[in-house]
Amino acid sequence: MDADRPPFDGYALDEPGGPVVLSVPHAGRDYPLPLRAALRVPLEALRPLEDRHVDTLALAARRDETMLVQRRARAWIDLNRAEHERDPAIDAGADRQSTPHASAKLRGGLGLIPRRVPIAGEIWQRRFEGEEIAGRILDDYRPYHAALSAALRRAHARHGVAILLDLHSMPPLGRGLPRIVLGDRFGRSAAARFVNRLESVAAQAGIATALNSPYAGGHILDRHGHVAGGFHAIQIEFDRSLYLDAALDQPGAGLAPMATLVRGMIDSLIDEALTPRDDRLVPLAAE
């Protein structure tokens, strides 16, 4: 990668913008040669790790909001895991002492460097040296989080509030089950009023939602959400069948209407953030 180019695509990073900042951390389709050389499975087996084309959806919905889109594939490094969530099974630099109580994701092979994928199983044919993973953290992981933090601070300085909308996609959960899942870390990463607005937009479109089940959000929300300080972070998981083709591979006919829905979600958050909380009608006294 060009040393002068960040590992993500940034939009309106240095321009005054609204209170909403968009993040797309898992849609990357850049699979570096070192990654390909270390695979024990076909490259196509890594596709379930991608939030397939949710970046295309986000770009279609975006107007002038600050947005970050990671280019590197999630299999290279997962921005939604903490730095210490390193898997000793594939990472010689993992410190077992720092993770005595490994998360369920890490135990299941979905740590900072994913180890397993559905169906195909184990991904790698070798264990990585600690320096390799440290390089990915330095070159790919930290720049994204630093830029995201800076964008949120800039939004907060301008508006007194900042809202991170972290966009993901999920496989269809099944007939009759929710098609959009909102995550707020069980109320820890965002005020309920913002989540309520998102639920309302989806309901008006006739799309069923769930809150925190089965996805409550991950490290990005933990790291960048601080409700007491006016920093709110919400994850949205979109059923891929809402905007992809029947093969869940390429943008489909649903992309345009879903972009309209996402635009409505963004606008609802802006309205909620910028409308004075005490701006309510005062009843007139009876004559």
Side-chain angles (χ1 to χ4, degrees):
M1 179 174 288
D2 187 341
D4 296 327
R5 187 184 185 202
F8 56 85
D9 292 323
Y11 302 84
L13 294 183
D14 300 316
E15 301 171 18
V20 175
V21 174
L22 307 175
S23 166
V24 186
H26 283 168
R29 295 180 287 278
D30 176 10
Y31 291 88
L33 287 176
L35 179 152
R36 295 168 182 251
L39 287 176
R40 64 181 296 174
V41 297
L43 186 63
E44 294 73 22
L46 302 183
R47 182 133 331 148
L49 291 173
E50 290 182 17
D51 286 342
R52 190 71 174 165
H53 284 293
V54 79
D55 55 328
T56 305
L57 175 63
L59 282 167
R62 174 185 176 267
R63 189 172 297 140
D64 57 2
E65 288 76 28
T66 296
M67 182 165 77
L68 281 74
V69 179
Q70 180 75 351
R71 289 194 300 272
R72 294 286 206 193
R74 180 184 177 186
W76 179 254
I77 192 165
D78 190 338
L79 303 177
N80 206 22
R81 300 289 178 264
E83 283 191 26
H84 69 265
E85 292 187 271
R86 298 172 64 167
D87 191 336
I90 55 165
D91 179 357
D95 182 0
R96 294 179 185 272
Q97 300 298 320
S98 67
T99 55
H101 305 291
S103 67
K105 293 288 188 183
L106 180 54
R107 294 195 304 272
L110 291 175
L112 186 66
I113 308 299
R115 174 171 51 83
R116 295 177 55 85
V117 290
I119 301 176
E122 297 290 329
I123 297 173
W124 311 109
Q125 60 178 305
R126 69 177 179 87
R127 197 166 183 238
F128 298 104
E129 297 298 327
E131 292 77 8
E132 294 180 77
I133 306 307
R136 298 184 197 182
I137 292 172
L138 183 63
D139 295 338
D140 297 285
Y141 181 95
R142 290 180 181 172
Y144 190 95
H145 282 285
L148 189 54
S149 179
L152 290 166
R153 290 197 305 270
R154 188 162 46 248
H156 189 278
R158 185 175 179 84
H159 301 287
V161 63
I163 308 157
L164 169 61
L165 206 53
D166 199 42
L167 303 177
H168 297 253
S169 72
M170 63 184 184
L173 296 178
R175 185 182 299 274
L177 294 176
R179 305 187 75 187
I180 293 178
V181 177
L182 305 174
D184 67 355
R185 303 299 285 162
F186 301 97
R188 295 193 301 272
S189 70
R193 62 190 180 101
F194 294 114
V195 176
N196 292 342
R197 291 296 295 265
L198 296 179
E199 290 174 324
S200 176
V201 172
Q204 290 174 16
I207 299 178
T209 64
L211 179 59
N212 293 316
S213 179
Y215 307 107
H219 175 67
I220 289 176
L221 268 57
D222 287 338
R223 178 167 180 162
H224 298 285
H226 179 50
V227 176
F231 293 87
H232 304 266
I234 304 169
Q235 176 178 288
I236 306 184
E237 295 270 2
F238 296 97
D239 180 333
R240 291 171 194 149
S241 66
L242 288 169
Y243 67 93
L244 294 179
D245 59 15
L248 302 182
D249 183 56
Q250 296 297 319
L255 180 70
M258 280 305 299
T260 299
L261 176 73
V262 176
R263 182 67 248 169
M265 288 179 158
I266 296 169
D267 288 340
S268 74
L269 293 178
I270 294 171
D271 177 71
E272 184 65 32
L274 300 185
T275 299
R277 299 295 308 282
D278 58 353
D279 186 17
R280 300 181 176 92
L281 292 176
V282 178
L284 295 176
E287 295 185 7

